[in-house]
Amino acid sequence: MDLSPPKPKLLIVEDDESVRTQMRWALVQEYEVLLAGDRPAALGVLENERPPVVTLDLGLPPDAGGTEEGFLALAEMLEFDPLIKVIIITGRGEKDNALKAIGLGAYDFFCKPIQTEELKVVLNRALYLSQIEHERRDLQEKLQGEAFEGMIGTDLKMQEVFASIRKVATTDVPVLIVGESGTGKELVARAIHRQGSRKGSQFITINCGAIPENLLESELFGHEKGAFTGAHIQRKGRFETAQGGTLFLDEIGELPLPLQVKLLRFLQEKKVERIGGREEIFVDARVLAATNRDLKLEINEGKFREDLYYRLGVVTILLPPLREREEDILVIATALLQRYADENRKKITGFTKQALQAIEAHNWPGNVRELENRIKRAVIMVEGSKITPEDLELSSAFKKYGSQGLKEAREALERDFIERAISKNRGNITQAAADLGISRPTLYELMEKLGMEKEK
Ligand SMILES: Nc1ncnc2c1ncn2[C@@H]1O[C@H](COP(=O)(O)OP(=O)(O)OP(=O)(O)O)[C@@H](O)[C@H]1O
Ligand SMILES: [Mg+2]
């Protein structure tokens, strides 16, 4: 069985059989050589075999003395595959035609008689470029294909989140969005609104934690003129403003208990009452809520109503922290880098190897927002064409361990590594040990030596 990687495909379009044979003979070691003697045959091979690189003789039958068929073939090939690399083979004294071909999108040209070694260099470079371009296109397609309402997520956990959003979007049930700070809760809320039938109406946001308690009730429910000192005019609350649309209650864990009662009543009866008002107003608004707190804990402490919790969280969408979306971190980082580099008109080709490692090693306590901020900063700070760990302010090893002696620094690093491996594997010691490349007993020994608790 042949286990060597498949050879790249190369199409040679040439009507002179002896030249064809010579080229084939020279290149067959490195390429899977495909041959065509005229334009229709060449297009046929292109469609069936999709070679990334082609050599094209401009003088093809029925116009073997001219160049018309050759130029036509070039145009058709590029239309079929815009990334294809076509190398023009011309006779001596036909440089003008060759240059014209390059102007039309050919990759390079080569004059007869063919010097095999030189041709190989040109072909290799063309192939290399073609691979890079294909990879980039695939990545872009992947990013576009798997981005959903502005959210990038190739990780399975995020695909599940997207599926939940699609499901709940077509209903009117309240949704509770739970996740650490910066995980994208607001994006999810907006996505639910936009994917549903209310998308043509308002999406109203209120941050329950950002408005002083004494003003929050009026903000939410509105007030009548003269309802309290300073209420000079009648005012509608956000519920009423959201009529027909969606009301997003951010940081719902901060909602004071009396307002929790009023919210519960709204969820049950779809009615609100302005402060100082005498009538109930019917409001058709969908309620979405978000929190980064553990509401169960708040319930136990008497800070959050259990009945409201169940009403709000008919459906709960859990956003995983970024550090648990292993597949996504680099994909999001790359996409954000591209976005901010374009915005700032900077030519940045990517991250250095060290930067990629630092991104993967970092714990991302601030989740996507932190990643976003670090990349924004890096795009401004970067001096070369690649982002370094310093640009991202992720060269933390020295900052973190540098002030200690070598032994202490090593132990601190070991402790960090072990903690990360254990938390990544949700406490599974066997898997954590495998990740660290040591045996389970060795891991236990190390933990004991470092004074770490086994329960962690
Ligand atoms: N999957 C993602 N792809 C791309 N950008 C994202 C993604 N998730 C979040 N972001 C971006 O990260 C930032 C934080 O997102 P968002 O404001 O929705 O988070 P949050 O959970 O509401 O945070 P907080 O709890 O701090 O309010 C936003 O700028 C958002 O555009
Ligand atoms: Mg938010």
Side-chain angles (χ1 to χ4, degrees):
M1 204 164 63
D2 184 10
L3 287 179
S4 53
K7 289 183 214 169
K9 289 177 179 173
L10 165 69
L11 169 61
I12 296 173
V13 188
E14 168 68 65
D15 62 328
D16 182 332
E17 186 163 357
S18 67
V19 179
R20 224 157 57 198
T21 315
Q22 181 206 347
M23 286 177 70
R24 179 199 170 98
W25 186 78
L27 297 165
V28 75
Q29 286 282 331
E30 285 154 62
Y31 291 90
E32 181 185 337
V33 177
L34 311 160
L35 299 171
D38 58 22
R39 182 173 56 86
L43 263 296
V45 175
L46 213 63
E47 279 166 26
N48 291 328
E49 304 280 346
R50 298 174 184 263
V53 182
V54 178
T55 71
L56 173 64
D57 179 12
L58 284 179
L60 291 175
D63 180 29
T67 50
E68 206 175 312
E69 273 295 291
F71 278 124
L72 199 54
L74 174 64
E76 286 178 352
M77 286 175 176
L78 285 168
E79 195 188 297
F80 179 77
D81 175 7
L83 293 186
I84 200 163
K85 298 282 165 272
V86 181
I87 296 152
I88 304 296
I89 310 273
T90 67
R92 246 183 230 294
E94 284 186 82
K95 214 171 155 186
D96 285 353
N97 284 328
L99 290 176
K100 183 178 159 199
I102 292 196
L104 293 172
Y107 169 68
D108 204 345
F109 71 92
F110 207 82
C111 290
K112 289 180 189 171
I114 291 157
Q115 308 287 321
T116 315
E117 289 314 308
E118 281 177 33
L119 180 60
K120 280 185 185 169
V121 172
V122 175
L123 287 175
N124 264 326
R125 207 182 47 194
L127 190 66
Y128 176 68
L129 190 67
S130 156
Q131 273 163 357
I132 290 181
E133 288 179 358
H134 277 96
E135 274 164 24
R136 191 189 315 167
R137 190 186 62 183
D138 290 350
L139 180 66
Q140 261 169 2
E141 277 173 2
K142 196 170 166 183
L143 290 180
Q144 283 158 3
E146 272 155 313
F148 175 75
E149 292 284 346
M151 264 176 290
I152 300 158
T154 52
D155 196 285
L156 198 63
K157 295 189 194 87
M158 287 308 286
Q159 294 293 323
E160 282 165 9
V161 169
F162 298 162
S164 306
I165 292 173
R166 285 198 187 91
K167 261 186 235 157
V168 297
T170 53
T171 73
D172 250 348
V173 294
V175 179
L176 181 63
I177 306 157
V178 183
E180 286 179 17
S181 177
T183 45
K185 296 186 293 295
E186 181 157 352
L187 276 186
V188 169
R190 288 181 186 279
I192 293 174
H193 174 73
R194 275 205 302 263
Q195 290 277 313
S197 58
R198 295 173 179 269
K199 62 172 173 280
S201 307
Q202 298 244 59
F203 177 86
I204 304 287
T205 299
I206 183 161
N207 186 330
C208 304
I211 295 171
E213 198 174 324
N214 58 337
L215 299 182
L216 190 57
E217 180 171 10
S218 158
E219 271 301 316
L220 280 170
F221 296 96
H223 61 250
E224 294 295 344
K225 185 176 171 183
F228 47 83
T229 333
H232 302 302
I233 48 166
Q234 181 213 61
R235 222 186 129 194
K236 284 185 182 176
R238 305 266 174 120
F239 275 95
E240 283 181 74
T241 324
Q243 185 75 265
T246 305
L247 179 66
F248 174 46
L249 302 167
D250 206 355
E251 295 192 37
I252 189 78
E254 307 283 337
L255 195 68
L257 279 166
L259 294 185
Q260 290 181 25
V261 181
K262 284 190 89 164
L263 172 59
L264 185 64
R265 263 201 63 206
F266 170 78
L267 291 173
Q268 285 163 342
E269 295 163 24
K270 297 265 167 210
K271 282 177 191 153
V272 293
E273 208 170 305
R274 296 185 194 135
I275 305 174
R278 278 191 208 98
E279 49 172 339
E280 293 186 312
I281 302 155
F282 176 78
V283 173
D284 166 37
R286 177 179 202 171
V287 172
L288 305 174
T291 181
N292 53 21
R293 290 204 194 171
D294 184 348
L295 288 185
K296 283 262 166 69
L297 211 73
E298 309 273 308
I299 292 170
N300 286 340
E301 288 173 359
K303 291 184 194 147
F304 204 83
R305 291 183 66 105
E306 193 168 14
D307 46 7
L308 177 61
Y309 175 76
Y310 287 112
R311 274 275 170 178
L312 274 178
V314 174
V315 176
T316 300
I317 292 183
L318 217 85
L319 271 174
L322 185 61
R323 64 186 159 279
E324 285 176 17
R325 303 180 215 167
E326 279 158 49
E327 301 238 333
D328 279 356
I329 301 179
L330 289 183
V331 181
I332 297 178
T334 309
L336 292 179
L337 177 59
Q338 203 171 9
R339 185 191 301 167
Y340 296 127
D342 288 350
E343 270 176 25
N344 288 276
R345 293 168 200 284
K346 282 215 173 183
K347 268 211 148 48
I348 302 169
T349 54
F351 299 96
T352 64
K353 204 171 140 205
Q354 291 80 358
L356 290 175
Q357 283 167 351
I359 288 172
E360 288 201 303
H362 189 59
N363 204 35
W364 300 108
N367 295 296
V368 187
R369 178 172 295 116
E370 180 187 355
L371 182 59
E372 210 171 52
N373 289 341
R374 283 188 191 274
I375 288 177
K376 269 187 200 162
R377 177 185 186 281
V379 167
I380 293 163
M381 299 309 285
V382 67
E383 286 182 350
S385 62
K386 291 197 173 200
I387 304 282
T388 66
E390 288 73 27
D391 299 329
L392 293 161
E393 292 198 309
L394 282 178
S395 51
S396 53
F398 273 100
K399 274 189 220 128
K400 192 164 174 192
Y401 307 113
S403 59
Q404 314 173 50
L406 183 60
K407 181 171 178 282
E408 290 77 21
R410 194 173 56 215
E411 286 186 0
L413 182 72
E414 283 178 344
R415 221 173 269 129
D416 281 358
F417 259 74
I418 292 171
E419 269 172 14
R420 209 179 67 208
I422 293 177
S423 102
K424 188 180 140 206
N425 291 292
R426 305 208 169 131
N428 185 324
I429 298 288
T430 310
Q431 274 173 22
D435 265 12
L436 293 164
I438 56 179
S439 73
R440 208 169 70 115
T442 309
L443 178 53
Y444 274 128
E445 247 167 59
L446 249 178
M447 288 171 72
E448 199 165 293
K449 190 186 96 187
L450 297 168
M452 296 170 74
E453 289 167 37
K454 281 178 194 157
E455 285 72 12
K456 271 184 96 176

